[in-house]
Amino acid sequence: MSKPRYYLVTFVALICLFMPALPLHALPAPKIEPKPAPDISVNIIRMTPILSANAGQEDAFLDLRVTLSNNTQRSMNGRISVSMQTRTPVLRSALEKWMNPASAPSSARQVTTQDFTSLSPETSVNIDLSIPASQLPLGSRDSWGPRGIAVDALDEFGVVLDSARSFMLWDSGVDFSPSKMMFFIPVTPTAQELLDASTLETSLNVKPSTRLLDLTRLGSNPLVTLAINPTLISDSQNRVQALTQLTSTEVSTLSPPPEDGPATPWFPALDSLAHPLELLPLGDVDLQRLSSERAHARLAPSLLDDWGTLTQGHTVNTQLTNLGIANKKRLIWPVPKDNQVNPDSLNLGLKALKQADSASKAVALLPAELLPPKKQLTYTPSSTAAINTASEQVSAVLTDASLDLSLSQSLTTSDAVGATRGTAESVITHDATSVAGRQWFLAQSAVLTRELPAISRVYVASLPRDAKLLPEAEMTLNQLAQARWLQAISLDQALEEPVPDVKRDETLKTPEEDTSSRAPYPSLSDEFWSQPIALHDEIQTFSSILEDPQALSLPARFLITQFGAVAWRDAIPQHLDSIEKFKEHSQAITKAVVAQPSSTINVIDSSAKMPVGVSNNLSVPINILVNLETEDLRLQPKESPALTIPAHSAKTAQVAIKAVGSGDVRVDVQVLSPLGQTVSTPSSISVRVRADWETSGTAVLGGAVLLFLIVGLIRNIRRGRRSS
């Protein structure tokens, strides 16, 4: 090698050797260009949900409607091509592969094409396609199930510009054992709905949000089981309006509803449920977080005691009976953190259930990933299990993460899909319109049935708690209910199914301590609970001055319970804002009863009665005690008189006192409950005590009288002498 070439090679080698040592900021950052929109985009907006071939029927058609959009500034010519898989996918992973836009459409055959011409710039057009079943590569009757459909938009040169993929479902009429399916839909407020309701101007169980109404209407579908927050249907929750009525300008009686009288349903949709209503923990309490923070050991009053007390009697169970729902079950539905459930949350829920009703049966609703089979299976096992807790064995239904995601894509908007619990590792990236989501769910459920077509198994899917439905959700559910390979069941029916003979780790493991996972959450016992619990205690005391204390204390306890709702888990600022709003309103109530300020009072007797005015700005009468407190021994209160003050009025109490000295004394006026607890902020009165003025005045007056007598006597003596 010549010397110049040797030096060149050595120089290049040194550069390569020291290149990693160069500072990163010395290298230009790669420029990421956004992916441009295709000249022509295509989307499937309508499709025959299930193509059925009844005996002797030869004129079945697969109907498609696609939207073509010209994203350019020029007219476009081209064609659309529809292809279909020639083989039925037998694994859910094969379905995901088909939906991946980067994968080649394997084993697909073109079934129809249609040209389009002079598509105007920046416009869209709908194209309807009707393909006879005889033109589709359906194969034998045993080849029933999903087939991938690809709709390609090609330019005039045959270049594919965009592609939309979905599944058509082929029901050949073959015999099989359908999968038993159950959709759990939670009916519980979101963080924003709780925040809006915290103004206490409306109550969610009296005026539910549109989203809650939409969710509940789905309960008439045989596939759907509603899991509701009990506070939304409780009679006692109706009295939340009392908190607003107390400070209104009109007089209110605050009479509670009769325990055995007719109850108005939360709304008419509860009259047409396909399956019994299931109850979540009261307030939809976040048992998982309560357990992980160990806050339940420090709550005062105990949130669990509230749950047990408030679910007794007419507060919930009578309402359910009036709705025709004899419910003796409670769902323990913890929200996993990092796909883990603390077993303490189940124990916490069991403890609360026993306090509420010892006859109630606990059912745990958990992600299937938490209890995986101990060995790999070639099929998906039934979604029922029995898990061991610290005190007993609990029945469990396990939700499938992929089915959860599919159900969300079928029924909900994209913002709710992202909140789905425990999503599958390979997330489907296609546009989750109602058509694509529906067909995706149908395809998955058909594959589950095909895994073991002779054995029926139970599968469970659920929506996230903040799900917001698409307008087409009801129609989509009705179409899903028509699938012959799906059999709708209730929770009771699912629990009657034998637990599958699949070895699982039936005892939940306590998650490893991970302080980083709790970093975003303030301490429940401090920032979360100290303020609302203090407000609760204040209202609990204040309520004792009303003729019906529960008219105020019970709604307040419901609201305090809801501060532990799952909805607040990732909405910390809104949670604290809600507490602040509750604080403002509770203070407006407690400050409505005040001792009226007074000018300086003069006390010149050793025993007297001091007038103290108290105003009641509530819309109901109150019963109070008026008490005087002072550290100055020259003035000693002798009693705390009782006072009944009508609504929106004031009265004056005459408080007996004893004065034992003279001087200026500062007296605190306290408004007490009949039990002697302070219910209002004390006010101060300045008192000028002159207890010796009475003695001095009497001596002066007596001396003056004696002087007059002496003067008169002297004058009479003088007059007598003159007369002599």
Side-chain angles (χ1 to χ4, degrees):
M1 180 183 296
S2 63
K3 285 188 176 181
R5 181 173 297 180
Y6 172 79
Y7 291 143
L8 178 61
V9 172
T10 303
F11 179 72
V12 172
L14 289 173
I15 291 178
C16 294
L17 179 64
F18 289 102
M19 179 66 75
L22 293 177
L24 294 178
H25 59 75
L27 300 176
K31 186 177 181 181
I32 301 176
E33 296 289 345
K35 184 179 180 180
D39 292 345
I40 294 289
S41 57
V42 62
N43 188 29
I44 303 172
I45 63 172
R46 193 172 69 188
M47 177 189 294
T48 302
I50 302 171
L51 185 63
S52 300
N54 297 326
Q57 183 177 348
E58 300 294 339
D59 56 351
F61 287 85
L62 172 63
D63 293 323
L64 292 170
R65 171 172 286 183
V66 299
T67 297
L68 284 178
S69 301
N70 182 358
N71 304 317
T72 69
Q73 299 296 322
R74 65 185 187 280
S75 295
M76 295 288 290
N77 300 320
R79 72 179 189 276
I80 58 174
S81 171
V82 180
S83 302
M84 192 181 85
Q85 284 181 313
T86 58
R87 295 193 299 269
T88 303
V90 294
L91 298 174
R92 287 198 278 181
S93 58
L95 300 178
E96 295 175 1
K97 183 177 180 181
W98 173 262
M99 294 304 297
N100 185 353
S103 66
S106 60
S107 66
R109 192 178 83 187
Q110 187 181 82
V111 294
T112 191
T113 63
Q114 184 166 322
D115 295 335
F116 62 89
T117 58
S118 302
L119 183 57
S120 301
E122 297 183 345
T123 58
S124 299
V125 62
N126 292 333
I127 298 178
D128 291 321
L129 302 167
S130 187
I131 309 170
S134 58
Q135 295 183 16
L136 302 175
L138 298 176
S140 65
R141 284 167 52 88
D142 292 336
S143 297
W144 72 274
R147 299 291 182 88
I149 289 285
V151 180
D152 298 323
L154 300 88
D155 64 11
E156 53 190 328
F157 304 105
V159 177
V160 177
L161 301 177
D162 193 27
S163 179
R165 297 191 184 186
S166 187
F167 292 95
M168 64 85 65
L169 277 301
W170 167 241
D171 184 0
S172 64
V174 69
D175 292 332
F176 47 72
S177 295
S179 297
K180 297 177 180 179
M181 189 71 67
M182 177 171 47
F183 298 164
F184 264 107
I185 296 183
V187 183
T188 186
T190 63
Q192 187 60 49
E193 288 164 344
L194 287 172
L195 180 60
D196 294 341
S198 68
T199 62
L200 304 180
E201 296 176 359
T202 60
S203 175
L204 284 172
N205 77 315
V206 175
K207 187 178 179 181
S209 66
T210 301
R211 188 190 69 87
L212 292 173
L213 289 173
D214 290 342
L215 288 169
T216 309
R217 274 195 292 269
L218 300 181
S220 60
N221 187 283
L223 289 169
V224 171
T225 294
L226 296 183
I228 197 169
N229 182 339
T231 59
L232 294 176
I233 57 173
S234 168
D235 288 343
S236 298
Q237 178 70 350
N238 286 324
R239 299 192 217 171
V240 170
Q241 293 294 336
L243 300 181
T244 310
Q245 295 170 5
L246 278 174
T247 54
S248 68
T249 57
E250 298 179 358
V251 177
S252 173
T253 59
L254 292 181
S255 58
E259 295 188 12
D260 55 353
T264 302
W266 186 42
F267 43 82
L270 291 180
D271 288 334
S272 57
L273 298 179
H275 300 299
L277 196 65
E278 302 300 337
L279 298 184
L280 293 167
L282 189 73
D284 194 26
V285 175
D286 192 348
L287 297 172
Q288 171 76 352
R289 188 191 283 178
L290 282 175
S291 299
S292 62
E293 294 283 352
R294 302 294 190 270
H296 60 279
R298 301 189 294 270
L299 292 184
S302 169
L303 191 62
L304 301 179
D305 289 340
D306 278 352
W307 186 4
T309 301
L310 297 178
T311 51
Q312 290 175 350
H314 72 280
T315 56
V316 171
N317 292 331
T318 299
Q319 182 77 353
L320 293 175
T321 302
N322 291 331
L323 291 173
I325 303 168
N327 194 310
K328 279 297 181 183
K329 296 188 303 300
R330 298 292 188 274
L331 281 179
I332 302 177
W333 191 349
V335 177
K337 177 64 179 170
D338 299 329
N339 205 34
Q340 290 183 317
V341 169
N342 191 326
D344 286 347
S345 66
L346 299 182
N347 299 327
L348 194 65
L350 289 172
K351 175 183 176 183
L353 289 179
K354 296 306 179 185
Q355 291 175 341
D357 186 352
S358 59
S360 293
K361 181 180 180 181
V363 179
L365 189 64
L366 301 170
E369 294 88 332
L370 297 180
L371 296 169
K374 290 187 176 181
K375 66 177 182 178
Q376 189 172 3
L377 302 175
T378 58
Y379 64 94
T380 306
S382 187
S383 297
T384 55
I387 56 177
N388 297 315
T389 68
S391 58
E392 61 184 277
Q393 190 176 72
V394 176
S395 298
V397 288
L398 309 178
T399 63
D400 186 290
S402 185
L403 289 179
D404 287 352
L405 179 60
S406 300
L407 188 64
S408 292
Q409 290 177 326
S410 303
L411 304 181
T412 69
T413 54
S414 56
D415 56 340
V417 171
T420 301
R421 193 177 59 254
T423 55
E425 293 182 1
S426 54
V427 177
I428 305 304
T429 58
H430 69 279
D431 180 21
T433 63
S434 58
V435 171
R438 178 196 68 207
Q439 297 302 111
W440 172 243
F441 192 96
L442 284 171
Q444 281 208 83
S445 60
V447 168
L448 287 175
T449 302
R450 282 181 57 92
E451 289 176 349
L452 289 177
I455 301 176
S456 181
R457 287 151 294 151
V458 174
Y459 295 110
V460 180
S462 65
L463 290 182
R465 280 169 162 88
D466 61 347
K468 184 178 181 181
L469 297 181
L470 290 166
E472 305 87 354
E474 290 184 68
M475 181 177 63
T476 300
L477 269 177
N478 292 334
Q479 292 171 341
L480 291 175
Q482 295 173 11
R484 205 164 56 89
W485 54 86
L486 294 181
Q487 178 184 343
I489 61 171
S490 66
L491 178 59
D492 288 334
Q493 293 169 332
L495 296 176
E496 290 173 358
E497 292 287 319
V499 175
D501 187 18
V502 175
K503 293 188 180 298
R504 301 177 184 266
D505 188 355
E506 297 176 345
T507 302
L508 291 176
K509 295 292 191 298
T510 302
E512 295 181 2
E513 189 72 14
D514 182 7
T515 56
S516 62
S517 66
R518 286 193 260 159
Y521 306 139
S523 172
L524 283 174
S525 61
D526 299 331
E527 186 173 2
F528 268 66
W529 287 109
S530 59
Q531 189 171 176
I533 287 177
L535 294 173
H536 170 272
D537 293 343
E538 186 177 358
I539 286 183
Q540 190 78 9
T541 299
F542 186 86
S543 65
S544 62
I545 69 175
L546 306 181
E547 293 181 356
D548 179 14
Q550 285 195 340
L552 174 59
S553 62
L554 199 56
R557 291 173 67 188
F558 267 100
L559 291 173
I560 294 298
T561 300
Q562 289 183 340
F563 285 130
V566 172
W568 300 121
R569 171 175 284 233
D570 298 312
I572 307 304
Q574 296 94 320
H575 178 273
L576 298 178
D577 190 14
S578 180
I579 292 177
E580 190 63 30
K581 286 189 175 183
F582 178 71
K583 177 181 178 181
E584 292 173 1
H585 201 88
S586 63
Q587 288 179 345
I589 295 175
T590 56
K591 290 181 179 179
V593 177
V594 293
Q596 295 175 333
S598 175
S599 57
T600 301
I601 298 177
N602 294 314
V603 176
I604 61 174
D605 296 334
S606 59
S607 296
K609 290 195 174 182
M610 180 185 298
V612 177
V614 180
S615 61
N616 172 24
N617 296 319
L618 298 176
S619 60
V620 294
I622 59 173
N623 300 304
I624 60 169
L625 302 177
V626 180
N627 184 59
L628 301 182
E629 285 286 341
T630 179
E631 296 180 355
D632 198 318
L633 297 179
R634 289 174 293 184
L635 185 67
Q636 300 175 4
K638 298 176 64 178
E639 62 180 8
S640 298
L643 203 62
T644 298
I645 308 177
H648 301 299
S649 60
K651 273 192 174 183
T652 300
Q654 301 293 332
V655 184
I657 59 172
K658 180 180 179 180
V660 294
S662 298
D664 294 336
V665 178
R666 186 179 184 85
V667 178
D668 291 332
V669 180
Q670 297 176 336
V671 179
L672 306 180
S673 71
L675 299 178
Q677 299 167 306
T678 302
V679 296
S680 179
T681 303
S683 60
S684 297
I685 300 177
S686 296
V687 181
R688 187 177 294 120
V689 182
R690 299 295 184 265
D692 54 346
W693 281 17
E694 180 183 13
T695 303
S696 301
T698 302
V700 171
L701 183 59
V705 172
L706 180 61
L707 180 61
F708 283 132
L709 289 174
I710 294 174
V711 171
L713 181 60
I714 294 174
R715 291 181 63 184
N716 288 333
I717 293 174
R718 288 180 178 179
R719 286 176 184 172
R721 289 178 178 178
R722 290 175 184 172
S723 299
S724 305

